[in-house]
Amino acid sequence: GLPAALPPLPLELTVLYNSLLFTVGASDSVIEGDAEGIRQGLLRVLEACGASGQDLSTEELWQKVLQEVKMEDLQAPLHRLGALQAAWWLSASRLGSATSLFRLLSNTEDLGRAHCSNGENELLSLLKAWRVPPEEASLPLVQSAEDVKEVLCTTAAFLQGLQELEAGNFPAAQSLLQEAAGGFCSKTVLARIYICLSCCAQRMGKPQTALQHLRRALQVDFQCLPALSHMAALYHELGETDAELQALALLYEALERKPSAVASSSPYSLIRTELLVHTPILSSLLRHHHPSEVKYLLAQRCLQDGRVADAVEHYLDFLALLHEGPQQQVPLDGDSALPRIPEVFLETASALEQAGRHQDAITVCEEVISRTTDLIPRMLQVEEKLEQVECPLPGAGLASGFSSQKKESLRCLAWRAAGFLHQGWAWATLGKNKEAVTQFSRCLNDLLRVQVYGSGVEPAESLLPEVKVLQKIRLLSLIGRGAQFLGQGKHKEALLDFQHGLQISPGDPAAASYLVQALWKLNRKQEAAAHWQKFSQSSTGEDEQQERFFPLYLVSCLRQATFTHGESLSRSIQDYLRITSQKSSS
């Protein structure tokens, strides 16, 4: 409340500088509201000089003070406060304001030298050219201005590197991030910079360089777990499955352990780079995975790579984690690697089937079927292309409303139908034809809930994804049931299923091969031979390529539906054609 006076102002501004630093240290964060103290300090300086600046913005206030106040004793305290002001502005990503401030803080000689640095970043040039005021022994500082300058240089390079990275200017981002990596910072910040350099190298098409940066991040800070997750993703991109699984296993093990408290590598630095840099792109790059999420990734990668035993173990561990309680639940945000839980159950069933544990697979699928039964309307009308689902019948369920709700009904139907589909193939593998036919029929009856309207000739790529999945499930069920009918000697019923399958997916190799076999068993050999010749000419090997276009839980069913008697059937038809040709020529 005392009126401002010039003699005590250097002490007053130094106390303000120290108190602001103590505030940052106590809260371990830089809060924009705390910088109001700097504004009040500047107003005190103007008041002592007989001027006013209440109506000025903070930028204008700094300009007025630095241009009008020429007292030598005030220059050092003002420069130190200016450094803190720049720190707050950098924390708010106001790089332009910080640049303008350092233009004012730099004298004419320094400003000219800064601009003579050809191609160098202006803010960094100004920061490096800024002459840190000397400290006075009578006015001790809790953090030297020289330390603050080093922090500002690292922060400015880091922030601008992130901006260039987000903008896609990768060479500029790399240069700025390398500048930041050579600056004054803690091991934690240095590891984060290496992660950003890795991301930059990856986007420049240099995966090996990206891996080197991630290794440096882990060497600098062994607790930098995001580096492990990025490393696993890079190994996946490079097709190095063993290394990817090893990285994921290490990440899961590290996440399971309670992190130990690590002493700060900069115990005397109250203003630190990690408090000033917190942009969305950095938060995204440093996102921590949940242990359950990593366990699922292990299971998924093992299943995709054919490591069935390991996949089963990881999937069952993952389901056990889910049963432990809410602390193991993972938010299904846009960055999460987890699919919907019913899909995880179906993938588990797929792994169990491939491991020969068919009864367990049947049990897991029953869980999906029972949980989704009440979520599906009795009838769904779907446009082939448009995202339009109608449920006009009273009591048919809530299928109208938002598009997301409508799509959810289709997803639930797909999960339930896929459950029946997996059970059908599991019973078939166990040699239980009757039970297999029952489950395939239940799947097909379930899919009758959906009425698809349209021209019927829409290209596959223009269909709704949910409709594509439902059509594939219907096709696989028809092939599965038809194959069981063949085994039971019901060749006509089998033929109808295969014909229906080809109507859904014309030219499907499995359905076409089974159709030929059904015709052959019905002694309609001429028709069988004609179809065989037609399908042989149009076969493109698409069966192996289509796996990646459908959910992982359907891959095992796609493989089970593959026709396995192609060579013997082909020989029989070729013999028939040769004999027929000989008879006609004679």
Side-chain angles (χ1 to χ4, degrees), residues 442-458:
R442 286 178 177 174
C443 176
L444 293 167
N445 290 335
D446 238 23
L447 295 174
L448 290 176
R449 298 168 184 251
V450 179
Q451 296 180 4
V452 180
Y453 290 90
S455 64
V457 293
E458 298 294 347

Side-chain angles (χ1 to χ4, degrees), residues 212-465:
Q212 290 175 7
H213 287 308
L214 293 174
R215 292 191 188 102
R216 290 193 188 102
L218 289 170
Q219 289 169 357
V220 168
D221 180 9
F222 69 93
Q223 290 194 345
C224 184
L225 300 187
L228 271 177
S229 62
H230 284 288
M231 192 173 285
L234 263 173
Y235 282 130
H236 179 68
E237 181 183 313
L238 293 170
E240 299 183 24
T241 306
D242 289 335
E244 177 194 6
L245 293 176
Q246 184 180 8
L248 287 172
L250 287 172
L251 177 59
Y252 179 74
E253 184 181 346
L255 289 170
E256 281 289 274
R257 293 196 305 263
K258 290 185 178 179
S260 57
V262 179
S264 172
S265 58
S266 306
Y268 301 108
S269 296
L270 298 175
I271 286 284
R272 306 187 301 280
T273 301
E274 48 264 56
L275 301 182
L276 304 179
V277 181
H278 37 72
T279 63
I281 185 173
L282 182 62
S283 300
S284 175
L285 290 172
L286 298 179
R287 189 181 82 86
H288 281 274
H289 288 280
H290 193 279
S292 298
E293 192 177 3
V294 179
K295 176 59 74 172
Y296 169 75
L297 281 173
L298 278 165
Q300 182 197 58
R301 298 293 188 255
C302 285
L303 184 59
Q304 290 172 332
D305 196 54
R307 306 176 189 219
V308 176
D310 291 337
V312 168
E313 180 182 350
H314 290 309
Y315 273 116
L316 294 180
D317 286 346
F318 173 78
L319 295 181
L321 284 173
L322 292 183
H323 284 294
E324 286 183 7
Q327 69 275 12
Q328 295 295 346
Q329 304 298 320
V330 182
L332 292 177
D333 54 35
D335 294 325
S336 175
L338 280 177
R340 301 289 294 277
I341 297 303
E343 293 190 20
V344 178
F345 272 77
L346 291 170
E347 288 175 19
T348 305
S350 178
L352 288 166
E353 282 181 66
Q354 294 178 61
R357 298 172 59 175
H358 304 294
Q359 289 289 354
D360 291 335
I362 291 169
T363 301
V364 170
C365 288
E366 195 59 42
E367 182 76 11
V368 176
I369 293 167
S370 62
R371 294 296 181 92
T372 54
T373 297
D374 296 332
L375 304 177
I376 307 169
R378 288 190 308 180
M379 187 63 65
L380 286 164
Q381 295 182 357
V382 185
E383 292 289 343
E384 279 185 325
K385 293 177 62 177
L386 302 176
E387 297 185 4
Q388 178 180 350
V389 182
E390 299 178 357
C391 190
L393 301 178
L398 294 175
S400 58
F402 296 112
S403 176
S404 60
Q405 294 175 330
K406 300 168 185 178
K407 287 187 175 184
E408 184 68 4
S409 296
L410 288 175
R411 294 189 191 104
C412 289
L413 179 58
W415 296 330
R416 177 179 156 90
F420 285 131
L421 177 66
H422 275 287
Q423 288 183 330
W425 284 113
W427 284 120
T429 307
L430 290 169
K432 304 288 187 178
N433 298 77
K434 183 178 178 181
E435 289 84 352
V437 169
T438 298
Q439 298 310 108
F440 286 132
S441 297
R442 286 178 177 174
C443 176
L444 293 167
N445 290 335
D446 238 23
L447 295 174
L448 290 176
R449 298 168 184 251
V450 179
Q451 296 180 4
V452 180
Y453 290 90
S455 64
V457 293
E458 298 294 347
E461 60 271 13
S462 68
L463 296 177
L464 284 171

